[in-house]
Amino acid sequence: MFEDLIRGWDGEHVIARFDEPSSTWMLVGVHSTVLGPAMGGTRMKAYRSPDEGLHDVLRLSQAMTMKQAAAGLDFGGGKAVLAVPEVPAPGSPRRRDLLLRYGDLVDSLGGSYVTAADMNTGEADLDVIGERTSHVLGRSVACGGSGSSAGATAVGVFHGIRAAVRRAFGEDDLAGRHVLVQGVGAVGSRLAELLHEARASLTVADLDGERAATIAESLGAASTTTHHVFDTECDVFSPCATGALLSAESIPLLRCRVVAGAANNQLATSWDADRLHARGILYAPDYVINAGGVIHLAGYERLGWDDARMTARLEGIGETLTGLFDRAEREGITPAAAADRLATERIDAAR
Ligand code: NAI
């Protein structure tokens, strides 16, 4: 299986190290370094098998290549997985030791892979990794990093929603537009605040029902159960939780005009972009609308941008999407296919 997965992948190289003391597979996928060092987060997760972790690292690293290219950043795509038997408690000595050994592995790659946060890893973990390697982005401000990128991701998604609303409804005023935010974690909760400030009508949903209820109350929003996110009537459905949620099963249920949210890998298969299109639903390609995170990390930590430059680049996500919607119409393709063409052209031009 390991071999089949790697043979079926079009990336540059995979590093697999078994960390004996923690029984963890450390897997790094360097998908492309054509535009620059492969950058992408480290996911810590208890998978059912190392194959499952490898599958994740391969597909996520490919998506990072497309994200960096579409965002116009001089980075390639990479991703890492720490396939742990069980996720060690934050701040525990076991976790710290694992992260230090992982930092050594990242360092040994000589900068071809630059790591950051992903599921179950955050600033504190990156600070530990940063004790062993400089090829890390998103450490805490106290440790010389730029901190969490979730706020920037939310701002980018907000601009993306406006661009999509403009295309779907002819004007980008969000006042009174009904937006359903699925997942009000680090990104979704900030996005909900921005939408509230823009006077959108909000519904929020989260697996953690208490969290959804608290946020709904503080913003005067409605909340719904996770079972009803797909069939709730709204103008914009904004997935900010997990991936692979747009599928042959869920798309027929949708009662929205726009899908525009932060989650990575929203389409279960590439056919699902066509399914959305056939239903007249405008889809903002995930890796374009959620690029605020990588823009934040690259801009602040590698390119020396100031806040004004960052603000302009995050606004630019809306302009990029508008360009993609235009291109999709012109070329008779879906916005997702237009995004793939844009990213591929940038990579091919750099070869
Ligand atoms: P988070 O872990 O802080 O929040 C996710 C929230 O979704 C949690 O509150 C969780 O309870 C909820 N959730 C999980 N499954 C759900 C379900 N089936 N239905 C409803 N709620 C559910 O994660 P974060 O950082 O807010 O990221 C959200 C999404 O955006 C993820 O898919 C992530 O990969 C993606 N993303 C995040 C970036 C960042 O800068 N943090 C950058 C680009 C993408």
Side-chain angles (χ1 to χ4, degrees):
M1 186 71 171
F2 236 68
E3 188 185 343
D4 292 344
L5 285 169
I6 294 170
R7 278 182 186 274
W9 183 64
D10 64 349
E12 292 177 11
H13 58 272
V14 185
I15 298 93
R17 177 176 294 178
F18 184 67
D19 181 60
E20 181 76 44
S22 65
S23 287
T24 294
W25 279 97
M26 297 176 173
L27 305 166
V28 182
V30 174
H31 180 263
S32 171
T33 55
V34 173
L35 292 172
M39 189 246 277
T42 298
R43 175 167 295 196
M44 192 187 290
K45 191 172 164 184
Y47 291 92
R48 276 172 302 188
S49 70
D51 286 347
E52 219 178 62
L54 181 66
H55 179 258
D56 241 9
V57 100
L58 299 183
R59 96 194 150 79
L60 293 167
S61 64
Q62 194 267 350
M64 287 307 294
T65 297
M66 303 301 271
K67 184 186 294 201
Q68 309 280 9
L73 296 170
D74 290 336
F75 279 98
K79 202 86 183 182
V81 152
L82 296 176
V84 287
E86 65 182 271
V87 177
S92 64
R94 272 197 316 131
R95 185 167 176 126
R96 178 178 163 76
D97 290 347
L98 168 64
L99 292 168
L100 288 173
R101 291 190 297 272
Y102 172 62
D104 289 336
L105 171 63
V106 172
D107 201 58
S108 73
L109 304 178
S112 60
Y113 171 64
V114 180
T115 198
D118 194 73
M119 187 186 290
N120 288 329
T121 59
E123 271 175 59
D125 301 307
L126 297 169
D127 286 348
V128 176
I129 294 168
E131 290 180 34
R132 293 296 172 87
T133 183
S134 59
H135 306 301
V136 55
L137 300 175
R139 284 172 302 153
S140 65
V141 174
C143 285
S146 60
S148 165
S149 58
T153 303
V155 171
V157 172
F158 177 75
H159 290 300
I161 288 176
R162 286 181 62 154
V165 163
R166 190 182 317 120
R167 179 54 49 118
F169 299 102
E171 50 151 49
D172 65 6
D173 187 0
L174 294 177
R177 288 268 164 235
H178 183 190
V179 184
L180 191 160
V181 181
Q182 179 200 31
V184 277
V187 177
S189 59
R190 179 69 191 121
L191 174 65
E193 286 169 6
L194 293 167
L195 291 165
H196 173 72
E197 284 160 23
R199 295 184 295 118
S201 155
L202 265 182
T203 300
V204 298
D206 200 290
L207 266 188
D208 181 342
E210 216 168 289
R211 186 173 174 77
T214 307
I215 288 173
E217 195 181 323
S218 73
L219 299 178
S223 66
T224 186
T225 65
T226 52
H227 302 297
H228 283 295
V229 286
F230 296 117
D231 60 6
T232 297
E233 191 167 357
C234 57
D235 294 315
V236 180
F237 171 46
S238 185
C240 295
T242 52
L245 71 150
L246 301 168
S247 66
E249 290 73 41
S250 65
I251 291 170
L253 303 175
L254 291 174
R255 294 169 70 202
C256 60
R257 180 72 185 82
V258 168
V259 174
N264 278 313
N265 296 73
Q266 292 173 31
L267 303 171
T269 70
S270 57
W271 301 114
D272 295 309
D274 300 298
R275 287 195 179 94
L276 288 166
H277 192 62
R279 285 218 47 216
I281 295 171
L282 183 67
Y283 171 63
D286 46 13
Y287 65 74
V288 177
I289 192 171
N290 74 13
V294 288
I295 291 173
H296 167 102
L297 295 172
Y300 281 138
E301 297 193 35
R302 289 291 191 265
L303 303 168
W305 292 353
D306 59 13
D307 291 346
R309 183 94 189 262
M310 184 59 68
T311 301
R313 280 302 305 267
L314 295 176
E315 270 177 31
I317 288 177
E319 286 147 35
T320 304
L321 278 172
T322 298
L324 288 176
F325 296 144
D326 286 341
R327 181 172 186 170
E329 270 176 32
R330 233 180 15 250
E331 299 180 12
I333 55 176
T334 64
D340 288 351
R341 283 187 188 174
L342 170 72
T344 307
E345 281 163 9
R346 286 199 173 142
I347 296 163
D348 288 346
R351 265 187 224 281

